Amino acid sequence: MSQKLQVIKQNVIECVKCDLCETRTNSVPGKGNFKSNVIFVGEAPGRSEDENGEPFIGIAGKKLSTALEEAGISREEVYITNVVKCRPPKNRVPTTTERETCKEYLKQEISVIKPKIICILGNTAFNSLLGGSEITKFRGKLVQKDNQLYFLTVHPAATIYNQELIKVLNKDIMKLFHLITELKNKKYVKIDIDYSS
Ligand code: URA
Ligand code: SF4
């Protein structure tokens, strides 16, 4: 692992910058390949993640893994993290203060990994990173902001009881890796929304 990521990870493990440190079992730093072309960003750890200190290892994580497998990608090839690194009690949505406090770690992860695309999973990440809402309207789109590309899709947890959304997630992840291949080959990719202009 990159030494800088190791430092970020250690800082997350020891962090007491917001109230969530009081109720967590373990902080959940990002995990994966530091040379990845893509960072997946979820909301916050759930119960399994809190118990084990690893992101996306519960039911939602299974959905994400399956979508990756269908696109021919293994989890080890990518980097997976969350906006907030400690579990909010009863899985409530993290508050603005918690998100703003914790976002520094995400910024650091992004600046070390320098992904071609940041894949936003669901509304909390959409709102925290791009100020957006209503992900179901914008999912499947490629966004540019401040010289960074973002791809929007639904949160894997939202697909748990919704067969239609599973298809949507799988299709979106497929498109994401197609876009990454095009970018690697220096081909033109269509930007759907440009927040820079
Ligand atoms: N949901 C998230 O947003 N992140 C996780 O790590 C697990 C579930
Ligand atoms: Fe620190 Fe983030 Fe955990 Fe809050 S949620 S204690 S800021 S690591």
Side-chain angles (χ1 to χ4, degrees), residues 54-104:
E54 281 189 35
F56 280 100
I57 55 162
I59 307 172
K62 275 226 165 65
K63 301 288 175 195
L64 178 59
S65 296
T66 305
L68 289 172
E69 274 164 32
E70 293 215 350
I73 310 291
S74 79
R75 273 180 75 124
E76 287 66 40
E77 290 176 58
V78 300
Y79 189 86
I80 301 173
T81 192
N82 285 296
V83 174
V84 161
K85 308 313 198 221
C86 300
R87 183 193 184 202
K90 297 186 183 148
N91 295 349
R92 65 163 170 74
V93 177
T95 64
T96 310
T97 309
E98 289 158 357
R99 288 193 252 160
E100 284 307 312
T101 312
C102 207
K103 217 164 89 180
E104 186 53 35

Side-chain angles (χ1 to χ4, degrees), residues 42 56 59-64 121-122 153-160 169:
F56 280 100
I59 307 172
K62 275 226 165 65
K63 301 288 175 195
L64 178 59
L121 302 169
T153 192
V154 295
H155 194 290
T159 71
I160 293 171
L169 176 68

Side-chain angles (χ1 to χ4, degrees), residues 10-54:
Q10 198 54 39
N11 289 340
V12 167
I13 289 171
E14 292 167 10
C15 183
V16 289
K17 286 201 296 183
C18 87
D19 286 353
L20 294 179
C21 72
E22 285 162 26
T23 45
R24 75 180 177 219
T25 314
N26 294 293
S27 322
V28 180
K31 188 164 189 242
N33 176 7
F34 70 94
K35 293 187 177 150
S36 177
N37 289 310
V38 55
I39 298 185
F40 288 89
V41 185
E43 176 177 287
R47 183 191 292 278
S48 319
E49 291 80 17
D50 173 71
E51 283 169 2
N52 295 281
E54 281 189 35

Side-chain angles (χ1 to χ4, degrees), residues 37 116-117 142 149 174-191:
N37 289 310
K116 290 197 192 306
I117 302 185
L142 185 67
L149 291 175
M174 219 59 109
K175 179 176 174 187
L176 166 66
F177 284 98
H178 176 72
L179 287 168
I180 290 171
T181 305
E182 296 290 89
L183 287 168
K184 277 202 277 195
N185 294 332
K186 310 244 182 291
K187 295 251 177 68
Y188 169 79
V189 293
K190 178 175 164 281
I191 290 159

